């Protein structure tokens, strides 16, 4: 593939993405050709493998990455096996495409700044689109993750921990949606996905960090406008992993001044008791809001409403 003009490349991707959204069968390219096109375009626009297999990034990788991540999302959603292929073979190929995207995005963000939270703040659109892609995969084709190495998904989960620490809606909202979908599937027992064992191990590995970051946001690290997203994520944790959340929350809230010096032991106990007892998301949001008001020392003020 020759080096195309950046604007032309962006227009091509926008046209393809728009057409597929309107009609999934607008382009009847063979599956292998579609994957090859995405792979070649990714190498030109985002990153190509270097001599030591480390990615070599294009100058404008962060600008062009979101459109390609959207293309991969569309491909994963509508792709069907060729006549000579099986569903498992198709998922294996798509899994390799997904793995490359995750690895390159994580590596690209790591090189943008001294720390991942700063990099995510500087490139929130890249973070938004990679979590949107992975949420779509979890919702529509979770079996793909069975063909992605644990280390690759663990890198994405590490990125999610840092994204939860960024007080930016573009970073936090898609991260919370991704984690909510992951947590739900990690606890599925009635009709488990082939990826369920992987997701369950990721919950055990990263669950305490996700819970800590969520409680820190509720406790005042994030603006109150982000509380609905944090409440939804926390409710998913409680709903699907009650016993582990109960244990981890007791350990976290036993720490002095966590998540705020304004919340005493009595306030923490009441928060945990009410949250773990409710099965209503509406009530859970109210409980989270009440505790956040306490953590921010806003009781009795106009901001407590």
């Amino acid at each position: 593939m020759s080096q195309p003009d950046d604007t032309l490349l962006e227009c091509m991707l926008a046209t393809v993405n728009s057409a597929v959204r309107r009609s999934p069968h607008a382009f009847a390219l063979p599956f292998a050709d579609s994957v090859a096109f995405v792979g070649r375009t990714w190498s030109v626009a985002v990153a190509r493998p270097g001599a030591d297999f480390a990615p070599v990034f294009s100058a404008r990788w962060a600008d062009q990455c979101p459109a390609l991540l959207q293309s991969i999302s569309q491909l994963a959603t509508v792709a069907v096996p060729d006549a000579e292929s099986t569903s498992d073979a198709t998922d294996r190929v798509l899994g390799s495409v997904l793995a490359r995207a995750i690895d390159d995005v994580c590596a690209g963000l790591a090189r943008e700044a001294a720390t991942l939270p700063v990099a995510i703040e500087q490139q929130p659109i890249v973070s938004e689109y990679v979590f949107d892609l992975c949420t779509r995969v979890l919702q529509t084709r979770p079996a793909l993750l069975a063909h992605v190495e644990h280390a690759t998904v663990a890198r994405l989960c590490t990125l999610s921990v840092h994204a939860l620490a960024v007080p930016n809606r573009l970073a936090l909202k898609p991260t919370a949606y991704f984690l909510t979908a992951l947590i739900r599937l990690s606890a599925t027992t009635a009709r488990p996905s082939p990826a369920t064992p992987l997701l369950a191990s990721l919950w055990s590995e990263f669950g305490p960090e996700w819970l800590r970051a969520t409680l820190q946001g509720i406790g005042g690290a994030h603006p109150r406008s982000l509380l609905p997203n944090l409440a939804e994520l926390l409710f998913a944790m409680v709903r699907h992993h009650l016993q582990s959340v109960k244990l981890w929350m007791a350990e976290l809230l036993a720490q002095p001044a966590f998540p705020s010096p304004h919340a005493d032991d009595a306030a923490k106990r009441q928060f945990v008791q009410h949250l773990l007892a409710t099965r209503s998301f509406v009530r859970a949001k109210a409980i989270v809001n009440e505790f956040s008001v306490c953590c921010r020392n806003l009781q009795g003020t106009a901001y407590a409403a």
Side-chain angles (χ1 to χ4, degrees):
M1 187 182 218
S2 61
Q3 297 284 341
D5 176 78
D6 287 346
T7 303
L8 176 60
L9 179 62
E10 291 167 7
C11 288
M12 287 169 58
L13 290 172
T15 300
V16 171
N17 291 338
S18 177
V20 174
R21 277 198 304 272
R22 288 182 170 85
S23 175
H25 304 292
F27 292 93
L29 288 174
F31 173 70
D33 291 346
S34 301
V35 171
F37 170 77
V38 169
R40 288 195 300 269
T41 308
W42 184 274
S43 293
V44 171
V46 180
R48 58 178 174 80
D52 57 353
F53 298 103
V56 178
F57 290 89
S58 69
R60 295 186 59 231
W61 80 271
D63 295 326
Q64 298 174 144
C65 184
L68 264 169
L69 290 171
Q70 190 175 27
S71 296
I72 295 170
S73 178
Q74 300 289 353
L75 179 62
T77 301
V78 306
V80 295
D82 291 337
E84 64 276 11
S85 301
T86 64
S87 294
D88 185 69
T90 300
D91 286 349
R92 188 162 53 251
V93 172
L94 288 172
S96 68
V97 173
L98 178 64
R100 181 183 179 186
I102 292 172
D103 284 336
D104 285 355
V105 166
C106 290
L109 287 172
R111 69 193 283 274
E112 287 295 304
T115 66
L116 273 175
V118 173
I120 294 167
E121 280 197 283
Q122 292 175 350
Q123 302 290 349
I125 303 299
V126 175
S127 174
E128 176 189 9
Y129 273 75
V130 74
F131 285 118
D132 280 347
L133 162 62
C134 293
T135 302
R136 176 75 72 89
V137 168
L138 287 170
Q139 291 174 339
T140 64
R141 210 163 187 158
L144 291 189
L145 289 175
H147 301 287
V148 178
E149 291 186 2
H150 181 281
T152 293
V153 188
R155 278 189 279 274
L156 181 68
C157 290
T158 298
L159 182 67
S160 73
V161 172
H162 292 289
L164 283 179
V166 177
N168 179 317
R169 182 174 293 275
L170 280 179
L172 189 139
K173 188 175 179 179
T175 306
Y177 284 158
F178 163 71
L179 292 178
T180 299
L182 184 153
I183 290 164
R184 178 179 59 82
L185 286 175
S186 71
T188 298
T189 56
R191 296 181 60 186
S193 158
T196 297
L198 168 64
L199 300 179
S201 71
L202 292 169
W203 166 253
S204 298
E205 183 178 353
F206 291 95
E209 296 180 72
W210 292 328
L211 181 59
R212 171 183 282 276
T214 302
L215 291 175
Q216 285 177 323
I218 292 169
H222 291 350
R224 292 180 67 195
S225 61
L226 297 178
L227 284 181
N229 302 112
L230 295 170
E232 183 176 6
L233 176 56
L234 183 58
F235 183 69
M237 294 182 190
V238 172
R239 181 179 179 186
H240 295 291
H241 293 283
L242 177 61
Q243 293 307 314
S244 53
V245 169
K246 183 178 180 180
L247 175 64
W248 296 337
M249 193 174 287
E251 294 173 352
L252 288 168
L253 295 181
Q255 300 174 15
F258 181 87
S260 163
H262 300 296
D264 58 20
D265 290 342
K268 294 179 185 181
R269 283 195 300 270
Q270 178 176 295
F271 169 61
V272 172
Q273 180 182 358
H274 290 175
L275 181 68
L276 298 184
T278 187
R279 293 296 177 265
S280 164
F281 177 52
V282 173
R283 176 61 183 144
K285 284 198 299 183
I287 294 166
V288 166
N289 186 67
E290 291 166 8
F291 185 61
S292 186
V293 165
C294 172
C295 290
R296 297 164 199 262
N297 199 27
L298 296 175
Q299 306 97 312
T301 71
Y303 297 102

